[in-house]
Amino acid sequence: LAPLMRRLTHLIPALGIALILSVLSLVVSPDSAGAESGRIVVLNGQDLKPYQDVLAGLQQSLAKQGITATIEVYPLQGNAAKTQEVLSEVKKTGARLVVTLGSAATQAAVREVGHLPLMAAMIVSADDIKPASNATAVLLEFPLDTQLQWLRRIVPGANTIGVLFNPKENQTKVNNALRIAKDTGLSLVIQTVDTPRALPDALENVSRHVDALWGISDSIVMTPQTAEPILLSTLRNKIPLAGLSTSWVKAGALYALDRDYLDIGSQCGEIAGKILGGTSPSSMPPAPPRKVTYSINLKTAGAMNLELPQEIVRGATNIVQ
């Protein structure tokens, strides 16, 4: 035990970050190979409430399953140097499972610890773990059919849906959406936007032909810098906008789907339990959130003379009035 405590005493100031340990669970024979590899290492990318909720859900789920493995939580705050320090140590000492919260932490872990089981969360799509053969994830993005089904439920009068996108980033997604929209009974009007400068003309063009605008994650079209012109255009033309988040709804979008982050953490915990039980992460495809919550803006609905279904209003997690 004494050598182990000296090593922990050295490790904590060296990393300069919080390390949550259960020392009793590490008290094993000095020559045991499981002394370090029995742990779960969590790289928490940001100290924000959604990340905290995911972490809490993960810990609660593991406890509910009776999993008593040591959990080490490293708050990284987006610091690349700290992330590299932690991963260098993990490469040396091993881990039963590495859990990453956030895109930067996930991408770094994919590069540095490809030999260890990895589970990612708080990432939008599976692209962050695409290079890895040792990883799975719980994603933030809902499946396209789920998004379009909710659009139809919230704005039942909208049959022709516009979507603006950068083809270099989202052509495949939009191609899939065209097929799904047809199956859902919707008509999708697509408009490419290659640069932010092309956005105003694209907005005006698509607004002449659609009943609603569907926002998808896109680094050119849907950004903090483009939010104002998009929202002003949709309000002026009375085109309901399905935004990306509650922040978009507060700014004027009609609605946005959101996630139950505590449940995402619980979902991660259930997957972690399978990995700790011997299931290979690569045998489990990345999963979308299993719960859908949403926010609506009744002020926007009123300005557009839209009457939302009462069950939709009652079911909203957040209502802007």
Side-chain angles (χ1 to χ4, degrees):
L1 181 59
L4 175 61
M5 294 307 296
R6 283 199 299 272
R7 180 157 48 143
L8 290 175
T9 303
H10 171 73
L11 176 61
I12 294 172
L15 295 177
I17 54 180
L19 177 60
I20 299 176
L21 290 172
S22 170
V23 174
L24 288 177
S25 66
L26 286 176
V27 178
V28 293
S29 59
D31 59 348
S32 170
E36 291 291 343
S37 62
R39 63 180 178 162
I40 299 172
V41 173
V42 181
L43 307 183
N44 188 10
Q46 298 291 338
D47 187 24
L48 300 172
K49 190 176 186 307
Y51 288 75
Q52 294 166 1
D53 287 349
V54 170
L55 180 56
L58 169 68
Q59 293 170 321
Q60 290 168 16
S61 176
L62 291 174
K64 187 177 179 180
Q65 296 173 70
I67 295 172
T68 57
T70 300
I71 302 174
E72 301 176 12
V73 181
Y74 295 85
L76 303 174
Q77 299 284 45
N79 187 312
K82 283 184 180 180
T83 303
Q84 190 60 47
E85 276 188 292
V86 173
L87 289 171
S88 294
E89 181 64 24
V90 172
K91 283 173 75 173
K92 295 176 186 175
T93 56
R96 184 83 176 275
L97 174 64
V98 177
V99 179
T100 56
L101 306 185
S103 186
T106 299
Q107 291 174 12
V110 166
R111 289 193 306 268
E112 300 295 330
V113 290
H115 61 296
L116 299 175
L118 172 65
M119 185 182 64
M122 299 303 287
I123 61 175
V124 175
S125 73
D127 289 346
D128 285 341
I129 62 167
K130 202 170 185 180
S133 59
N134 62 321
T136 189
V138 177
L139 309 175
L140 291 176
E141 190 169 60
F142 291 106
L144 296 175
D145 57 348
T146 298
Q147 296 182 53
L148 290 172
Q149 286 163 10
W150 274 95
L151 196 158
R152 165 141 273 187
R153 288 181 63 184
I154 294 174
V155 196
N159 296 310
T160 304
I161 311 301
V163 59
L164 305 172
F165 69 101
N166 165 29
K168 291 182 180 178
E169 182 178 350
N170 276 317
Q171 188 65 62
T172 300
K173 179 186 291 186
V174 169
N175 289 343
N176 291 334
L178 284 166
R179 174 181 51 79
I180 293 168
K182 186 177 180 181
D183 294 340
T184 313
L186 296 172
S187 175
L188 210 60
V189 175
I190 64 174
Q191 177 73 54
T192 59
V193 180
D194 296 310
T195 66
R197 186 175 295 180
L199 182 60
D201 288 342
L203 272 169
E204 287 304 313
N205 182 53
V206 79
S207 295
R208 290 194 291 266
H209 307 288
V210 301
D211 304 318
L213 191 65
W214 171 38
I216 62 174
S217 296
D218 191 292
S219 59
I220 287 182
V221 176
M222 302 290 285
T223 70
Q225 293 72 34
T226 62
E228 184 175 353
I230 290 174
L231 289 165
L232 287 174
S233 174
T234 56
L235 289 168
R236 183 176 66 251
N237 292 296
K238 298 187 184 303
I239 303 293
L241 170 66
L244 297 181
S245 65
T246 300
S247 297
W248 279 80
V249 177
K250 290 178 179 177
L254 178 65
Y255 81 92
L257 301 185
D258 207 346
R259 297 107 191 132
D260 182 326
Y261 292 99
L262 193 66
D263 189 67
I264 285 180
S266 179
Q267 201 173 346
C268 289
E270 292 170 18
I271 294 171
K274 293 178 182 178
I275 294 172
L276 296 173
T279 302
S280 168
S282 61
S283 70
M284 293 180 283
R290 60 191 175 190
K291 282 190 179 181
V292 177
T293 66
Y294 58 92
S295 303
I296 57 173
N297 190 320
L298 293 183
K299 190 174 180 180
T300 296
M304 295 182 178
N305 299 318
L306 284 174
E307 188 172 342
L308 300 179
Q310 281 305 302
E311 66 270 18
I312 291 297
V313 176
R314 288 193 297 266
T317 305
N318 295 291
I319 298 176
V320 178
Q321 302 192 69

